Amino acid sequence: MKDNKKIILSGIQPSGTLCIGNYLGAIKNWVDLQHDYDSIFVVVDMHAITLRQNPAELRKRCLSFAAQFIACGIDPKLSSIFVQSHVSAHAELAWVLNCFTYMGELNRMTQFKDKSKKNNANINAGLFTYPILMASDILLYQADLVPVGADQKQHLELARNIAERFNNEYSPTFKIPEPYIPNRGARIMSLQSPKSKMSKSDENENNFIGLLDNEKTILKKIKRSVTDSGSEVNYQNGGEGLKNLINIYSLFSGEKIELIEEKYKNQGYKEFKDGLTEVIIESLKPIQKKYHSLIDEKSYLEKILNEGSTNAMYRSRKTIQKVYRKIGFPQFKS
Ligand code: AMP
Ligand code: TRP
């Protein structure tokens, strides 16, 4: 039955702390889409080492992120979840695609420009070629759709260009993937500097709400979040800070913006922030409960991830063999 379904693939780097930006921009959509698609979700540890990681923490975080995917509603019976470094075809295809990508294309990537500014002591080649590894993740599984936040649009465009280039040079080999970027939630902003996006690796933890933050922390972070000098809960007249908070309220509660404005019509920011805190806490509660019941089930999590990588190895091999054959690498019958 799976064979007839279109394929979706997405990934998250096991760095920092999964935050509500990741949830509202990506994971929440994965959960909805998994019923209608053949779905693959990857903990992309190979991407994470473009910045230095503590080895013990990275190892732990891979498992923790997988547990958080499941806690958010990814059903391992419907979707494959695995760790990128367990499937060697990602690195193999990345090398080939390195030879089909131009320096000029990589130079235009805004994430590279941002990250190299922030980490100018370690501007390594991996940071530069990272979008090629991402293209490999996607093209290996012939994904039709890639559900991500707005910041990944440029990387996806590159993946499409590389695929088209390869297909034109040889013959159709890769499916050309489409981005799936939600209308709302694609760009959740930082709580303290709402001109920048909320980032799970932000040094200032007050800028984001972690999926596993406790009630006290959520209360404190929302209390400190930036609004406006005004006092009215109005989306149109609001600045970036207020707009972002109203958006978060609406995405978590499922209530329309007009309804939220109406609810807080004669009240100030304090009441609105109290309401928002409540909405976030209530939405994260079931996720946290599930997470805490899962995270100590190490053998269960490992089983899911092993099954995921076995499936991924089989599928990715098909593409890699096709690619090797087309470019002229000799293949012998064993
Ligand atoms: P990252 O945190 O960069 O590993 O991103 C993992 C996924 O979450 C990607 O699909 C991103 O586009 C998405 N994402 C990250 N931050 C945000 C944000 N602030 N708003 C919406 N989506 C986001
Ligand atoms: N580059 C993405 C990010 O930083 C993570 C990622 C890696 C990804 N490989 C992917 C997303 C494949 C979608 C599909 O958020």
Side-chain angles (χ1 to χ4, degrees), residues 158-177:
L158 178 70
R160 289 167 57 88
N161 291 340
I162 298 173
E164 275 167 4
R165 187 169 303 143
F166 192 98
N167 288 353
N168 287 337
E169 180 107 12
Y170 301 96
S171 53
T173 308
F174 299 120
K175 194 155 313 146
I176 310 298

PDB file of all heavy atoms in Angstrom, residues 158-177:
ATOM      1  N   LEU A 158      17.927  24.763  -3.980  1.00  0.00           N
ATOM      2  CA  LEU A 158      19.214  24.230  -4.443  1.00  0.00           C
ATOM      3  C   LEU A 158      19.095  22.727  -4.725  1.00  0.00           C
ATOM      4  O   LEU A 158      19.586  22.234  -5.741  1.00  0.00           O
ATOM      5  CB  LEU A 158      20.319  24.497  -3.404  1.00  0.00           C
ATOM      6  CG  LEU A 158      21.688  23.931  -3.788  1.00  0.00           C
ATOM      7  CD1 LEU A 158      22.289  24.707  -4.955  1.00  0.00           C
ATOM      8  CD2 LEU A 158      22.653  23.956  -2.607  1.00  0.00           C
ATOM      9  N   ALA A 159      18.425  22.010  -3.823  1.00  0.00           N
ATOM     10  CA  ALA A 159      18.257  20.567  -4.017  1.00  0.00           C
ATOM     11  C   ALA A 159      17.543  20.295  -5.348  1.00  0.00           C
ATOM     12  O   ALA A 159      17.916  19.383  -6.095  1.00  0.00           O
ATOM     13  CB  ALA A 159      17.470  19.958  -2.854  1.00  0.00           C
ATOM     14  N   ARG A 160      16.552  21.094  -5.640  1.00  0.00           N
ATOM     15  CA  ARG A 160      15.824  20.929  -6.909  1.00  0.00           C
ATOM     16  C   ARG A 160      16.743  21.193  -8.102  1.00  0.00           C
ATOM     17  O   ARG A 160      16.724  20.472  -9.087  1.00  0.00           O
ATOM     18  CB  ARG A 160      14.633  21.897  -6.963  1.00  0.00           C
ATOM     19  CG  ARG A 160      13.496  21.524  -6.019  1.00  0.00           C
ATOM     20  CD  ARG A 160      12.508  22.688  -5.892  1.00  0.00           C
ATOM     21  NE  ARG A 160      11.969  23.113  -7.169  1.00  0.00           N
ATOM     22  CZ  ARG A 160      10.883  22.603  -7.732  1.00  0.00           C
ATOM     23  NH1 ARG A 160      10.216  21.676  -7.100  1.00  0.00           N
ATOM     24  NH2 ARG A 160      10.459  23.041  -8.901  1.00  0.00           N
ATOM     25  N   ASN A 161      17.553  22.257  -7.986  1.00  0.00           N
ATOM     26  CA  ASN A 161      18.455  22.584  -9.092  1.00  0.00           C
ATOM     27  C   ASN A 161      19.487  21.485  -9.327  1.00  0.00           C
ATOM     28  O   ASN A 161      19.782  21.136 -10.469  1.00  0.00           O
ATOM     29  CB  ASN A 161      19.172  23.922  -8.824  1.00  0.00           C
ATOM     30  CG  ASN A 161      18.202  25.090  -8.906  1.00  0.00           C
ATOM     31  OD1 ASN A 161      17.129  24.963  -9.501  1.00  0.00           O
ATOM     32  ND2 ASN A 161      18.554  26.210  -8.299  1.00  0.00           N
ATOM     33  N   ILE A 162      20.018  20.941  -8.234  1.00  0.00           N
ATOM     34  CA  ILE A 162      21.015  19.873  -8.383  1.00  0.00           C
ATOM     35  C   ILE A 162      20.360  18.651  -9.050  1.00  0.00           C
ATOM     36  O   ILE A 162      20.928  18.041  -9.952  1.00  0.00           O
ATOM     37  CB  ILE A 162      21.614  19.476  -7.010  1.00  0.00           C
ATOM     38  CG1 ILE A 162      22.339  20.672  -6.358  1.00  0.00           C
ATOM     39  CG2 ILE A 162      22.574  18.299  -7.145  1.00  0.00           C
ATOM     40  CD1 ILE A 162      22.812  20.405  -4.925  1.00  0.00           C
ATOM     41  N   ALA A 163      19.159  18.322  -8.589  1.00  0.00           N
ATOM     42  CA  ALA A 163      18.459  17.151  -9.139  1.00  0.00           C
ATOM     43  C   ALA A 163      18.190  17.341 -10.634  1.00  0.00           C
ATOM     44  O   ALA A 163      18.420  16.438 -11.440  1.00  0.00           O
ATOM     45  CB  ALA A 163      17.144  16.929  -8.391  1.00  0.00           C
ATOM     46  N   GLU A 164      17.747  18.538 -10.994  1.00  0.00           N
ATOM     47  CA  GLU A 164      17.453  18.799 -12.408  1.00  0.00           C
ATOM     48  C   GLU A 164      18.717  18.723 -13.251  1.00  0.00           C
ATOM     49  O   GLU A 164      18.718  18.186 -14.359  1.00  0.00           O
ATOM     50  CB  GLU A 164      16.784  20.171 -12.561  1.00  0.00           C
ATOM     51  CG  GLU A 164      15.285  20.073 -12.346  1.00  0.00           C
ATOM     52  CD  GLU A 164      14.607  21.431 -12.184  1.00  0.00           C
ATOM     53  OE1 GLU A 164      15.286  22.481 -12.314  1.00  0.00           O
ATOM     54  OE2 GLU A 164      13.393  21.424 -11.902  1.00  0.00           O
ATOM     55  N   ARG A 165      19.788  19.257 -12.687  1.00  0.00           N
ATOM     56  CA  ARG A 165      21.067  19.230 -13.408  1.00  0.00           C
ATOM     57  C   ARG A 165      21.497  17.789 -13.676  1.00  0.00           C
ATOM     58  O   ARG A 165      21.900  17.435 -14.772  1.00  0.00           O
ATOM     59  CB  ARG A 165      22.119  19.960 -12.564  1.00  0.00           C
ATOM     60  CG  ARG A 165      23.443  20.159 -13.252  1.00  0.00           C
ATOM     61  CD  ARG A 165      24.309  21.115 -12.447  1.00  0.00           C
ATOM     62  NE  ARG A 165      23.639  22.385 -12.249  1.00  0.00           N
ATOM     63  CZ  ARG A 165      23.708  23.117 -11.125  1.00  0.00           C
ATOM     64  NH1 ARG A 165      24.416  22.700 -10.099  1.00  0.00           N
ATOM     65  NH2 ARG A 165      23.072  24.258 -11.035  1.00  0.00           N
ATOM     66  N   PHE A 166      21.415  16.968 -12.650  1.00  0.00           N
ATOM     67  CA  PHE A 166      21.823  15.564 -12.792  1.00  0.00           C
ATOM     68  C   PHE A 166      20.910  14.850 -13.792  1.00  0.00           C
ATOM     69  O   PHE A 166      21.381  14.145 -14.690  1.00  0.00           O
ATOM     70  CB  PHE A 166      21.795  14.870 -11.421  1.00  0.00           C
ATOM     71  CG  PHE A 166      22.470  13.530 -11.412  1.00  0.00           C
ATOM     72  CD1 PHE A 166      23.783  13.385 -10.957  1.00  0.00           C
ATOM     73  CD2 PHE A 166      21.806  12.391 -11.870  1.00  0.00           C
ATOM     74  CE1 PHE A 166      24.417  12.147 -10.968  1.00  0.00           C
ATOM     75  CE2 PHE A 166      22.432  11.145 -11.881  1.00  0.00           C
ATOM     76  CZ  PHE A 166      23.736  11.027 -11.425  1.00  0.00           C
ATOM     77  N   ASN A 167      19.619  15.061 -13.647  1.00  0.00           N
ATOM     78  CA  ASN A 167      18.659  14.407 -14.551  1.00  0.00           C
ATOM     79  C   ASN A 167      18.902  14.801 -16.012  1.00  0.00           C
ATOM     80  O   ASN A 167      18.779  13.977 -16.911  1.00  0.00           O
ATOM     81  CB  ASN A 167      17.225  14.780 -14.168  1.00  0.00           C
ATOM     82  CG  ASN A 167      16.776  14.103 -12.879  1.00  0.00           C
ATOM     83  OD1 ASN A 167      17.497  13.265 -12.340  1.00  0.00           O
ATOM     84  ND2 ASN A 167      15.605  14.483 -12.371  1.00  0.00           N
ATOM     85  N   ASN A 168      19.245  16.079 -16.220  1.00  0.00           N
ATOM     86  CA  ASN A 168      19.472  16.550 -17.591  1.00  0.00           C
ATOM     87  C   ASN A 168      20.752  15.993 -18.174  1.00  0.00           C
ATOM     88  O   ASN A 168      20.840  15.701 -19.355  1.00  0.00           O
ATOM     89  CB  ASN A 168      19.526  18.084 -17.634  1.00  0.00           C
ATOM     90  CG  ASN A 168      18.149  18.689 -17.437  1.00  0.00           C
ATOM     91  OD1 ASN A 168      17.143  18.017 -17.685  1.00  0.00           O
ATOM     92  ND2 ASN A 168      18.088  19.920 -16.981  1.00  0.00           N
ATOM     93  N   GLU A 169      21.746  15.869 -17.330  1.00  0.00           N
ATOM     94  CA  GLU A 169      23.049  15.378 -17.792  1.00  0.00           C
ATOM     95  C   GLU A 169      22.970  13.891 -18.152  1.00  0.00           C
ATOM     96  O   GLU A 169      23.566  13.452 -19.126  1.00  0.00           O
ATOM     97  CB  GLU A 169      24.048  15.584 -16.660  1.00  0.00           C
ATOM     98  CG  GLU A 169      25.437  15.121 -16.969  1.00  0.00           C
ATOM     99  CD  GLU A 169      26.398  16.272 -17.203  1.00  0.00           C
ATOM    100  OE1 GLU A 169      26.038  17.422 -16.896  1.00  0.00           O
ATOM    101  OE2 GLU A 169      27.508  15.999 -17.696  1.00  0.00           O
ATOM    102  N   TYR A 170      22.220  13.115 -17.384  1.00  0.00           N
ATOM    103  CA  TYR A 170      22.109  11.677 -17.634  1.00  0.00           C
ATOM    104  C   TYR A 170      20.699  11.394 -18.147  1.00  0.00           C
ATOM    105  O   TYR A 170      20.360  11.759 -19.255  1.00  0.00           O
ATOM    106  CB  TYR A 170      22.477  10.890 -16.372  1.00  0.00           C
ATOM    107  CG  TYR A 170      23.895  11.214 -15.933  1.00  0.00           C
ATOM    108  CD1 TYR A 170      24.150  12.172 -14.957  1.00  0.00           C
ATOM    109  CD2 TYR A 170      24.989  10.593 -16.542  1.00  0.00           C
ATOM    110  CE1 TYR A 170      25.458  12.494 -14.603  1.00  0.00           C
ATOM    111  CE2 TYR A 170      26.297  10.914 -16.191  1.00  0.00           C
ATOM    112  CZ  TYR A 170      26.522  11.868 -15.223  1.00  0.00           C
ATOM    113  OH  TYR A 170      27.809  12.191 -14.875  1.00  0.00           O
ATOM    114  N   SER A 171      19.877  10.855 -17.281  1.00  0.00           N
ATOM    115  CA  SER A 171      18.470  10.645 -17.639  1.00  0.00           C
ATOM    116  C   SER A 171      17.720  10.735 -16.320  1.00  0.00           C
ATOM    117  O   SER A 171      18.356  10.733 -15.253  1.00  0.00           O
ATOM    118  CB  SER A 171      18.303   9.253 -18.270  1.00  0.00           C
ATOM    119  OG  SER A 171      18.849   8.296 -17.393  1.00  0.00           O
ATOM    120  N   PRO A 172      16.387  10.823 -16.341  1.00  0.00           N
ATOM    121  CA  PRO A 172      15.677  11.010 -15.072  1.00  0.00           C
ATOM    122  C   PRO A 172      16.128  10.012 -13.997  1.00  0.00           C
ATOM    123  O   PRO A 172      16.064   8.804 -14.198  1.00  0.00           O
ATOM    124  CB  PRO A 172      14.217  10.809 -15.453  1.00  0.00           C
ATOM    125  CG  PRO A 172      14.179  11.236 -16.881  1.00  0.00           C
ATOM    126  CD  PRO A 172      15.500  10.825 -17.477  1.00  0.00           C
ATOM    127  N   THR A 173      16.619  10.545 -12.900  1.00  0.00           N
ATOM    128  CA  THR A 173      17.174   9.720 -11.817  1.00  0.00           C
ATOM    129  C   THR A 173      16.523  10.099 -10.491  1.00  0.00           C
ATOM    130  O   THR A 173      16.158   9.247  -9.690  1.00  0.00           O
ATOM    131  CB  THR A 173      18.705   9.963 -11.715  1.00  0.00           C
ATOM    132  OG1 THR A 173      19.291   9.777 -13.007  1.00  0.00           O
ATOM    133  CG2 THR A 173      19.364   9.040 -10.701  1.00  0.00           C
ATOM    134  N   PHE A 174      16.392  11.416 -10.293  1.00  0.00           N
ATOM    135  CA  PHE A 174      15.836  11.918  -9.028  1.00  0.00           C
ATOM    136  C   PHE A 174      14.467  12.533  -9.263  1.00  0.00           C
ATOM    137  O   PHE A 174      14.256  13.221 -10.255  1.00  0.00           O
ATOM    138  CB  PHE A 174      16.740  13.016  -8.448  1.00  0.00           C
ATOM    139  CG  PHE A 174      18.125  12.561  -8.122  1.00  0.00           C
ATOM    140  CD1 PHE A 174      19.224  13.151  -8.739  1.00  0.00           C
ATOM    141  CD2 PHE A 174      18.341  11.563  -7.180  1.00  0.00           C
ATOM    142  CE1 PHE A 174      20.512  12.757  -8.431  1.00  0.00           C
ATOM    143  CE2 PHE A 174      19.632  11.164  -6.852  1.00  0.00           C
ATOM    144  CZ  PHE A 174      20.716  11.750  -7.485  1.00  0.00           C
ATOM    145  N   LYS A 175      13.612  12.344  -8.304  1.00  0.00           N
ATOM    146  CA  LYS A 175      12.349  13.074  -8.302  1.00  0.00           C
ATOM    147  C   LYS A 175      12.654  14.514  -7.884  1.00  0.00           C
ATOM    148  O   LYS A 175      13.526  14.735  -7.041  1.00  0.00           O
ATOM    149  CB  LYS A 175      11.392  12.406  -7.317  1.00  0.00           C
ATOM    150  CG  LYS A 175      10.029  12.884  -7.500  1.00  0.00           C
ATOM    151  CD  LYS A 175       8.897  11.991  -7.077  1.00  0.00           C
ATOM    152  CE  LYS A 175       8.749  10.579  -7.373  1.00  0.00           C
ATOM    153  NZ  LYS A 175       8.082   9.880  -6.248  1.00  0.00           N
ATOM    154  N   ILE A 176      11.948  15.472  -8.482  1.00  0.00           N
ATOM    155  CA  ILE A 176      12.181  16.882  -8.103  1.00  0.00           C
ATOM    156  C   ILE A 176      11.257  17.205  -6.922  1.00  0.00           C
ATOM    157  O   ILE A 176      10.039  17.215  -7.070  1.00  0.00           O
ATOM    158  CB  ILE A 176      11.875  17.835  -9.288  1.00  0.00           C
ATOM    159  CG1 ILE A 176      12.601  17.367 -10.575  1.00  0.00           C
ATOM    160  CG2 ILE A 176      12.226  19.275  -8.930  1.00  0.00           C
ATOM    161  CD1 ILE A 176      14.116  17.354 -10.495  1.00  0.00           C
ATOM    162  N   PRO A 177      11.827  17.447  -5.746  1.00  0.00           N
ATOM    163  CA  PRO A 177      10.985  17.620  -4.550  1.00  0.00           C
ATOM    164  C   PRO A 177      10.363  19.018  -4.451  1.00  0.00           C
ATOM    165  O   PRO A 177      10.944  19.993  -4.905  1.00  0.00           O
ATOM    166  CB  PRO A 177      12.002  17.431  -3.412  1.00  0.00           C
ATOM    167  CG  PRO A 177      13.309  17.882  -3.990  1.00  0.00           C
ATOM    168  CD  PRO A 177      13.272  17.559  -5.459  1.00  0.00           C
TER     169      PRO A 177
END
